Amino acid sequence: MKPIAYISTDIQFTRLQEIDYKRGLVFLQLYDIPYADLSAYAGILITNFVEEAFLLDHKNILEDYLNDGGVIFSQAENFLPWLPGCESWKRSPISLRDREIRLTEPVHPMFYGIDPYDLNHKKGVRGFFSRGYLEAPEHSEVIVEDQDGKAIIYIDRKTTDGTIVAGAGTDLYRFGIEENSSRVLSTQMLNWIRQEYEANKEEQK
């Protein structure tokens, strides 16, 4: 199984656990990107705990990976143009307690079987999923939005020869920590990334 890189700065709550390694994740320190062979990874997860100025300085490395059919899933509240085609994150004017996270139809495979209530609430409290939104490119596929139709997660297969998944600041991989329907999110997310990578590589043949 080809690994998926989990990119962050090395702080305690972004470090991987044994279960993560069993799922094929590999921790990649942000500042090691220039020295890493990204072609070794079926996908790259970029957390919200990154130095965007550093990513901007090395955006060509990410673009090369994408144009080789790679998959990048950004979970950052980006304010610099390091991710191809992605506009800056915007804070939602809707208060967290009133904001509603919606899965678009048809529901994307990453979210199969997940009750939207479990995305909107943790222990009955609303407002943990995302504080803001992104302006999705016209050619992209929006898979999660708020009640105003603003994109929270979109998929872009046109800007590069790979796949960009841009999320508005939620660590989707670590979201499903409660015993509810969201528990399947992390594994479904990794499965989809691998399938997308294989589809990209097949298309390049």
Side-chain angles (χ1 to χ4, degrees):
M1 178 171 59
K2 201 165 189 177
I4 293 174
Y6 188 83
I7 294 179
S8 181
T9 51
D10 189 14
I11 54 179
Q12 184 174 358
F13 49 88
T14 65
R15 292 173 187 161
L16 299 181
Q17 308 299 316
E18 183 178 356
I19 184 62
D20 304 315
Y21 290 111
K22 287 180 178 179
R23 291 171 176 170
L25 278 183
V26 174
F27 185 84
L28 180 59
Q29 164 69 256
L30 171 69
Y31 303 110
D32 288 340
I33 287 177
Y35 317 107
D37 177 13
L38 297 189
S39 67
Y41 303 111
I44 294 174
L45 296 179
I46 299 178
T47 73
N48 204 20
F49 302 99
V50 290
E51 181 187 339
E52 292 194 55
F54 184 85
L55 288 175
L56 183 61
D57 287 342
H58 298 89
K59 66 177 296 186
N60 62 302
I61 297 175
L62 300 179
E63 289 179 1
D64 288 346
Y65 171 75
L66 286 164
N67 285 321
D68 192 38
V71 180
I72 291 181
F73 197 134
S74 168
Q75 306 173 102
E77 296 175 357
N78 56 304
F79 65 93
L80 292 175
W82 55 268
L83 187 63
C86 186
E87 299 288 337
S88 295
W89 178 89
K90 296 176 176 62
R91 187 176 184 88
S92 174
I94 306 172
S95 68
L96 286 176
R97 67 180 182 179
D98 296 324
R99 197 154 181 249
E100 182 179 354
I101 305 307
R102 298 177 177 177
L103 303 177
T104 61
E105 296 289 345
V107 173
H108 190 273
M110 280 190 281
F111 293 94
Y112 282 170
I114 296 177
D115 186 339
Y117 179 91
D118 294 332
L119 297 177
N120 281 287
H121 300 82
K122 283 189 176 182
K123 299 186 185 301
V125 180
R126 182 191 289 267
F128 288 91
F129 195 88
S130 177
R131 298 179 301 162
Y133 64 91
L134 298 167
E135 296 289 352
E138 289 186 7
H139 55 257
S140 66
E141 174 190 1
V142 176
I143 61 173
V144 181
E145 63 184 13
D146 65 16
Q147 67 263 50
D148 283 348
K150 298 296 187 181
I152 297 175
I153 302 174
Y154 71 78
I155 301 171
D156 178 359
R157 297 183 175 95
K158 299 294 186 182
T159 298
T160 68
D161 291 332
T163 303
I164 296 165
V165 186
T170 296
D171 189 340
L172 200 63
Y173 176 73
R174 297 184 182 277
F175 186 83
I177 59 175
E178 294 188 46
E179 291 297 333
N180 58 38
S181 66
S182 69
R183 292 286 290 179
V184 301
L185 184 52
S186 56
T187 52
Q188 290 181 174
M189 176 183 180
L190 298 182
N191 290 340
W192 179 84
I193 288 172
R194 289 194 171 90
Q195 292 167 7
E196 185 74 8
Y197 177 81
E198 291 300 327
N200 289 349
K201 287 300 186 180
E202 188 65 28
E203 192 173 305
Q204 288 185 335
K205 289 182 179 179

